[in-house]
Amino acid sequence: MKNLIRIILIASSLLFGASLYAADHVIQELNNGPDGAFVYGPSYLLIQPGDTVTFQPTDQGHNSESVFMPEGATPWKSDISQPLTVTFTKPGVYIYQCTPHNLFGMVGVIVVGSPVNAEAAQKAAAAIEKKQIMNQGRITAIMKNVH
């Protein structure tokens, strides 16, 4: 009987252990911040698989939409001015933007675990930056954190 209880306890800890250590993060959607106009705070975040991120519309009129992610990851898009919580499970680089303000350079980067897709992310970031009419150089600066 003791062995059965030990097996159940070990199995339970393996199944639920990862969620016990998962962290919750908040990214604010801002009209103005330390990095200028139309920003996420923070615009770069390093997290671990299993962590969650809540995109919080601190100022109205913003959202969060994934535009680049590791292969097999689930895309997301929040409604305008509505919070959204995303759980990240796949390691790699994720790039997201504010749909109404993407041309203004309202972008952010999340690295989950290891940046296994860093080379492809750099190319995606360069393509995104070419489309921006404001805050050019922002995504290039954010991507310097990815290594």
Side-chain angles (χ1 to χ4, degrees), residues 29-48:
E29 301 165 358
L30 303 163
N31 290 337
N32 291 291
D35 296 328
F38 302 107
V39 294
Y40 290 102
S43 59
Y44 173 80
L45 191 59
L46 174 60
I47 66 174
Q48 296 305 311

Side-chain angles (χ1 to χ4, degrees), residues 27-131:
I27 295 177
Q28 296 179 320
E29 301 165 358
L30 303 163
N31 290 337
N32 291 291
D35 296 328
F38 302 107
V39 294
Y40 290 102
S43 59
Y44 173 80
L45 191 59
L46 174 60
I47 66 174
Q48 296 305 311
D51 286 2
T52 62
V53 174
T54 298
F55 296 92
Q56 186 64 47
T58 305
D59 293 322
Q60 297 297 306
H62 303 292
N63 79 333
S64 171
E65 176 183 14
S66 58
V67 292
F68 176 84
M69 66 199 74
E71 190 173 319
T74 303
W76 74 87
K77 182 178 181 180
S78 67
D79 292 330
I80 302 294
S81 301
Q82 295 299 311
L84 176 70
T85 300
V86 178
T87 301
F88 292 85
T89 57
K90 290 223 172 246
V93 179
Y94 295 73
I95 301 174
Y96 58 93
Q97 68 183 14
C98 175
T99 308
H101 302 114
N102 63 337
L103 296 179
F104 297 161
M106 189 166 178
V107 296
V109 175
I110 297 171
V111 175
V112 179
S114 176
V116 295
N117 59 341
E119 187 176 326
Q122 292 288 353
K123 290 178 184 176
I128 290 167
E129 185 151 27
K130 286 180 183 178
K131 297 176 187 174

